[in-house]
């Protein structure tokens, strides 16, 4: 349990503007790329968070309509949050079935983020009251679950394509830092669960080239036995197997939903805990704030409040 101070919610004095859909036509993509953009109502030189959704059982949480508990907090605290609907979204299943890259669309998911950055000026002009307020030099990527897999590729992880055998790199140099939330871990012998054969791409990632700074968040109760018998430590692999600078936040009692980050009151959340979600929102915002403003005390202050003492929500390690 965290203290009352630690479980702060978005400041009511910092209203958020959320606009959707922003539609970016993409030649060759089965459907146009649709985005939700959330931003504080005031402020300039705003850093950008590209938020990659996971692949859960709900229809709309894995789309631009999900992850409000995080997106709203980050926007209220000075970030522009861009949420694409990837082709893996259940909202698009009837439109993209059988399209090249199905069902995992791993390359398309990463390319979606590069396309957003290619046309960030269009996004900025399209969203009312946002023009001239973005700092395009400060871009981070955050991904949950399959979104963490996407974020890893954008941060430099390599991939051995199980279809072609080719080594693929989709690193996006315009992304300066990232946060991986309950991301998949290693392949090899430990990638032995009943879903491993259906999703071989998950076990094809090489974290040794993921050189960009990142915060890896793992729940100590997130036991993904459908992919591995390694236990919750599997989700720490993007920290363990990647070079620094990396930070690992292990959340106590957290399962794959990390308390319910995919949506407010989501029935699929197995570990519903609003306090944990609020703490995670604060810690991730603080991590990125300090990454974009070296020397800023935000990360240190948040860690002191949330990861020390008897009410700590988790523990932190760095390398």
């Amino acid at each position: 349990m965290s203290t009352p101070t630690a479980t702060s919610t978005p400041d009511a004095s910092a209203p958020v503007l959320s606009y959707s859909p922003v539609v970016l036509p993409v030649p060759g993509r089965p459907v146009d790329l649709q985005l939700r953009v959330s931003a504080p109502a005031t402020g300039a030189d705003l850093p950008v968070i590209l938020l990659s959704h996971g692949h859960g059982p709900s229809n709309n949480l894995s789309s631009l309509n999900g992850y409000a508990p995080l997106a709203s907090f980050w926007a209220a605290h000075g970030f522009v949050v861009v949420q694409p609907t990837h082709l893996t979204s259940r909202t698009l299943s009837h439109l993209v079935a059988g399209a090249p890259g199905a069902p995992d669309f791993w390359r398309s998911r990463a390319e979606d983020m590069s396309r957003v950055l290619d046309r960030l000026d269009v996004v900025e002009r399209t969203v009312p009251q946002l023009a001239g307020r973005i700092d395009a030099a400060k871009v981070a990527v955050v991904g949950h679950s399959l979104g963490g897999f996407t974020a890893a590729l954008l941060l430099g992880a390599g991939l051995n394509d199980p279809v072609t055998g080719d080594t693929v790199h989709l690193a996006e140099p315009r992304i300066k830092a990232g946060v991986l939330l309950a991301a998949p871990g290693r392949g090899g012998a430990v990638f032995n669960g009943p879903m491993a054969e259906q999703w071989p791409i998950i076990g094809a990632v090489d974290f040794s080239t993921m050189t960009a700074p990142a915060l890896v968040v793992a729940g100590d109760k997130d036991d993904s036995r459908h992919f591995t018998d390694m236990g919750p430590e599997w989700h720490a692999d993007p920290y363990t197997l990647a070079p620094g600078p990396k930070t690992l936040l292990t959340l106590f009692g957290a399962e794959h939903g990390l308390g319910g980050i995919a949506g407010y009151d989501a029935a699929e959340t197995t570990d519903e805990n609003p306090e944990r979600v609020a703490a995670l929102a604060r810690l991730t915002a603080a991590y990125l704030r300090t990454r974009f403003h070296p020397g800023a005390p935000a990360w240190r202050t948040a860690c002191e409040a949330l990861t020390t003492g008897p009410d700590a929500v988790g523990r932190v390690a760095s390398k």
Side-chain angles (χ1 to χ4, degrees):
M1 293 292 291
S2 54
T3 64
T5 300
T7 59
S8 58
T9 55
D11 188 345
S13 65
V16 168
L17 304 174
S18 184
Y19 186 87
S20 69
V22 175
V23 181
L24 300 180
V26 178
R29 198 175 188 268
V31 295
D32 291 339
L33 177 58
Q34 295 196 359
L35 317 171
R36 176 182 296 276
V37 180
S38 302
T42 60
D45 300 321
L46 303 173
V48 176
I49 294 176
L50 305 176
L51 177 54
S52 181
H53 62 72
H55 186 59
S58 294
N59 289 323
N60 279 281
L61 295 183
S62 293
S63 76
L64 58 75
N65 293 317
Y67 295 88
L70 295 182
S72 296
F73 184 98
W74 293 334
H77 288 78
F79 294 89
V80 175
V81 184
V82 181
Q83 298 175 253
T85 296
H86 296 304
L87 294 179
T88 54
S89 175
R90 290 177 183 269
T91 63
L92 302 178
S93 295
H94 61 297
L95 297 174
V96 302
D104 46 70
F105 291 108
W106 60 269
R107 184 185 292 271
S108 172
R109 288 176 61 97
E111 290 174 343
D112 284 346
M113 299 312 202
S114 293
R115 289 162 177 153
V116 170
L117 295 180
D118 289 343
R119 303 174 70 181
L120 195 57
D121 58 335
V122 175
V123 173
E124 192 174 15
R125 292 195 304 268
T126 301
V127 177
Q129 302 182 46
L130 188 59
R133 299 174 58 208
I134 286 178
D135 185 346
K138 293 185 173 71
V139 178
V141 63
V142 179
H144 174 233
S145 192
L146 185 58
F149 170 93
T150 300
L153 297 182
L154 291 164
L155 293 169
L159 184 143
N160 183 23
D161 188 334
V163 175
T164 67
D166 295 335
T167 299
V168 180
H169 290 279
L170 297 174
E172 175 49 76
R174 290 171 291 185
I175 295 175
K176 305 305 182 184
V179 178
L180 279 62
L181 304 169
R186 73 186 74 184
V190 303
F191 192 58
N192 53 15
M195 293 292 290
E197 289 188 6
Q198 297 181 44
W199 285 80
I201 197 70
I202 295 296
V205 176
D206 175 12
F207 294 110
S208 68
T209 58
M210 194 175 77
T211 57
L215 171 65
V216 177
V217 181
D220 69 359
K221 303 298 182 185
D222 187 4
D223 193 356
S224 298
R225 290 191 173 271
H226 53 297
F227 283 132
T228 181
D229 60 7
M230 185 175 168
E233 292 80 8
W234 188 63
H235 293 286
D237 277 350
Y239 171 82
T240 306
L241 302 179
K246 298 291 184 295
T247 300
L248 174 65
L249 169 63
T250 303
L251 291 176
F252 300 149
E255 299 176 15
H256 200 60
L258 303 177
I261 62 173
Y264 295 115
D265 301 321
E268 68 197 51
T269 301
T270 57
D271 62 332
E272 185 173 34
N273 188 313
E275 291 80 12
R276 181 180 299 132
V277 174
L280 176 59
R282 180 178 170 188
L283 283 160
T284 49
Y287 174 83
L288 293 176
R289 179 70 60 191
T290 297
R291 271 289 157 196
F292 288 139
H293 301 280
W299 174 242
R300 182 180 69 252
T301 300
C303 285
E304 289 174 352
L306 296 168
T307 65
T308 61
D311 295 322
V313 300
R315 63 178 179 270
V316 172
S318 295
K319 64 179 184 181

